[in-house]
Structures are given as C-alpha cells and as structure tokens.
Amino acid sequence: MTRNEKRAYGLMKIHNMRLSMLIIYALIIITSIVGVTLFAVNTSEKVIQNKVSSLASSLNAQLNINLNNYLSRMENTATLAFSIDEAYNYDTTEKSIDEYNAINTEKIISDELKKICLMENFVDYGIIYRNGDTIGNISKGTKSLFGDTMFEDFESMISRKRTLDGWYTGYQDDYERIYYVKRIHDNALLVISIYTSEISDVLENPETENGMTIRLTDSKYIIMNSTAKNETGKNLPYDISRQVEGQDNSTVLGNKFLTTVNSCDVGWYVICSIPTDIIMKEKNQMQIYIYLSALLAVILAVIVGTFFTSKLTDPARIVAANLNENAHDDEFSTVSTKSAFMEKTDRILSEQKKGNAHAMILIDIDNYSEMTYNFGRSYAEGNISRLVNEIQRLFPKADCVGRISTDLFAVMIPISGKDSMISRKEISRKCAEVCTEFRSATQTDKGIFPVTVSVGTSVSPDNGMTADQIFDCANIALFTAKKNGKDSFVIYD
C-alpha cells in the first residue's frame, strides 16, 4: 500500500468512526443530560476560568515587575564602574601610554571593579578593550568562548542606542548565561554576566499555583529559565508558543493551556501557563451537586465515548505516522521534505553504478535568525524563495532538491557518468556561483546588512555510500564554511 493509500485509508476510517461516535454520543447526551444541567456546568466553568485567569494575570504582572527591578538593579550595579574616573578615561589601545602609568592605572581600576563585583553574584564583571585586553573579572570561560572576536561580539549585543547598552543571551546557543554590555568609549566596553539560574528566585511563584509553569524566554521564544526541569535553551512548547506569538501583556485561554504573557523592559517574555484540565478540576460545591444529579448519564456517556475513542486509535496512528512523510515541502511544490529527500538520496546511491559519483550540496542562508529579527518574517521568507529560485536555475538537472530546515536546502547532483551535469572539477565553480548569485545587501540604520549563503559539499562514494554518511560530511563542510566567516563554500576532503 502506498503512502497516499495509507493516508486515504486512515482518513476514511477516522471519518466513519467519528461520524458513528458523534451520532450515538449526541443521542445519549441529549436524552440523559437536560439543558439546565449543561447551562449550570458551563456557567460554573466560566466562573472558574475567569478567576484563574485573573489570578494568573496578576501573578505574571508581579513577576514581570520583579524581573524589571532585578535587571534594573544589575544595570545600576554595572554602571557604578563609571564612577571610577580611570575606568572612564583609560584606553589600552593608545600606544602612547607610559607602561608604568598603565600598570598603576589598571591596578586601580581592577581593585575598584572587584569591590563592586562583590555586591552581586556575577560570573563576569570587567572592561574589555578593542585590542583584546581586559581589566577586572573576565573569566577564562568567557575568553575561551568568545575567542579573538570577543570585543566585536560583545559590541554587537548593544541594542539600545539611547543608553548605549543591551542585554543578550543565547551566544552560540548557550542560554546558561545572560550578558549585559554598556559602552564606556569607542574602544572599551563594560561587560557583566550572570548565570541564568540566578533569575529563578526572581521568578519564584509566590502563590504556589498548582500546575503552573513559569518561563522566561528571549524575543525569539527560546527558554532562558523555567520552573520545569531541563528546558533552558529549548524552544517554547508549540501548544504555548502558538498562543502567545505576537501577543504582549495578554491572557489567552486555549484547549490545553491558559497562558499569560508579559514583555519586560529588555524585550524578553515572562510566560505563565496552567493546563486547562487542572483548572477544570477546581470545582465548587455547586458543580458537585450538578454532576450528582446527572451521574448516570455521565457514566454512560464516558463508557460509550471511551469505546469509540479506542476504536479511533489505530487509524489515527496511521495518519499521524504519515503526516511527516509528505513528499514535498508545503511552500515549494518542487522541493522535497527532508525525509523524502534522504529517502530518494539513499535510492540514488544504492543504484549508483561503478565509476559514477554524486555530490550533495548543502546551502544555508547566513544570519537568518538575525535577518528575521531585524526585518521581519516576510523579508526573510522572501529570501528563502529567492534561494529556491536560484537553486532551480543553477541546478536544472539536479536529481532532487530538499528542504532540510527553515533556511537550509540540499541538492543532489551527478558529477560523473554520461548523464552528469558537471564534472568533479566544476564543483568549486558551481558552489562559488551559488554564493555569488545570492549575495546582496540591505541598508539599515545600523549600516549595511549582508545577505549571503554558506555552502558545504560532499561526494559519494568518496565520503560515504549512504544518505546519512554524505549528509554528515556535507554538514561538516558547511559548518567549516560558517566558521571561516560565512559567504563561502567548503568541499569536504
């Protein structure tokens, strides 16, 4: 049975079962539970929902105030460094500074910074200079993480033009630390960092609401801190993110969660969510009497509903198992999904004749998240469409094209044999052409924003005989191209 036949068969069974269940279930409900009972239950549920919504909204607002106060206190503590005249005026990049005076000045600044650092539980508290010098407590872990681009990377975290400072987290997908950066002068930045876990006390739930989960996310809805375990650095759960995306200072009641969201002063979100089934367990005495009067009808309805639900399980599983097996991407009819692309690649490689070869080319849009953040989703998706058009133009005879993730595409092309479109020697030229044809720039108030791609390539059979093997090699090459400065290509050796 083909994938489409399985899907059609599953949908038909779901449809038939659902129809039967609804008819019988409706008859039982209509004959067993009177309108007064339904009205009373619905009314009592709404009362509970409104009460919990009000409590959750008030709690979220208080937590947001606590967070803003905490961040403000961190900023105030950080700016105490500006009371040190030497810190404000000293610049290690000036070659004319006397060495003896420089040593004394740096000691004065360092001593004063250490005194201030004792006021809070900072990981880092110090000054970073453009030439790589540091004064104060800049940890070895921070220096190792940022490397030679430490000053430039921290400088890019300054997001507020008026105050010349900014908060940032998620550097290299590390959400264990939060950074605050403030410019001292053109060649010096004041940097503090704290562990994200330090915010746990700020977000502590004073109401101890049963079942409530409190999360702090960045502007991209990536979790920075959570009362649930092992969520730091992960995306906000889908059922919650679809409720709060685009919302600010609001309460949303969905089928699974009641969620409140508030944005803090630095653009992060405090999100409180309570499962709806927990809310509905909070019944008052009136509801108890209502359900007692209709107990027999409810029990009968539950038994019948459970029976038909169990009958629905198998076909539902068939459909669910095939939802992710669609052959083509939802946006581009000529582009395969990742699973379909990998499946076809395995088939191509298994049928590859001796002496023939194929290349897998991975193409990724550089700085896509930053592009989306700065210019909006519509602009970013426009660049994805442009990339798909370029791929189709540059590789008209490709065996298959797949979308691996939002902005990552893969192309499978023959590179030897009588039907090949290019030879091995031309791989570099094609990869360079991809970079060149896509390259553009956008003017922003911060300067020129480059729009580029990075390309990684591997070859079968040299780098593997399966889709997974050559994909891993191409991915390593792509990572190398990214690491080398992006807007370039690397062929796996």
Side-chain angles (χ1 to χ4, degrees), residues 393-417:
R393 184 177 66 83
L394 295 173
F395 303 101
K397 297 182 180 180
D399 288 332
C400 58
V401 177
R403 188 174 188 177
I404 307 304
S405 62
T406 302
D407 60 320
L408 176 61
F409 290 81
V411 184
M412 194 69 181
I413 59 173
I415 60 171
S416 64

Side-chain angles (χ1 to χ4, degrees), residues 196-249:
T196 309
S197 57
E198 294 291 327
I199 301 181
S200 297
D201 292 339
V202 179
L203 299 178
E204 185 178 4
N205 183 357
E207 299 292 334
T208 320
E209 186 70 41
N210 184 30
M212 176 179 286
T213 302
I214 302 173
R215 297 178 176 93
L216 174 65
T217 75
D218 65 6
S219 59
K220 302 172 186 175
Y221 300 105
I222 298 177
I223 299 171
M224 301 163 55
N225 190 278
S226 173
T227 55
K229 294 182 179 180
N230 303 320
E231 284 195 333
T232 300
K234 296 180 180 179
N235 291 320
L236 193 65
Y238 173 73
D239 288 328
I240 298 175
S241 65
R242 67 177 181 176
Q243 287 182 295
V244 303
E245 187 172 352
Q247 300 289 333
D248 189 11
N249 303 327

Side-chain angles (χ1 to χ4, degrees), residues 65-127:
I65 292 173
N66 294 345
L67 177 61
N68 284 330
N69 289 340
Y70 178 81
L71 296 177
S72 179
R73 191 175 80 246
M74 293 296 102
E75 292 178 11
N76 291 337
T77 303
T79 53
L80 289 176
F82 284 79
S83 64
I84 308 171
D85 292 337
E86 291 84 355
Y88 190 80
N89 298 315
Y90 183 64
D91 187 352
T92 64
T93 63
E94 293 184 6
K95 298 181 180 180
S96 60
I97 297 177
D98 179 75
E99 183 176 355
Y100 176 77
N101 290 334
I103 294 173
N104 287 336
T105 301
E106 290 181 11
K107 185 178 185 308
I108 293 172
I109 298 173
S110 180
D111 291 343
E112 292 299 322
L113 291 177
K114 289 178 180 178
K115 292 178 183 178
I116 300 173
C117 186
L118 294 175
M119 299 175 63
E120 299 288 347
N121 190 21
F122 294 121
V123 179
D124 297 289
Y125 185 93
I127 300 174

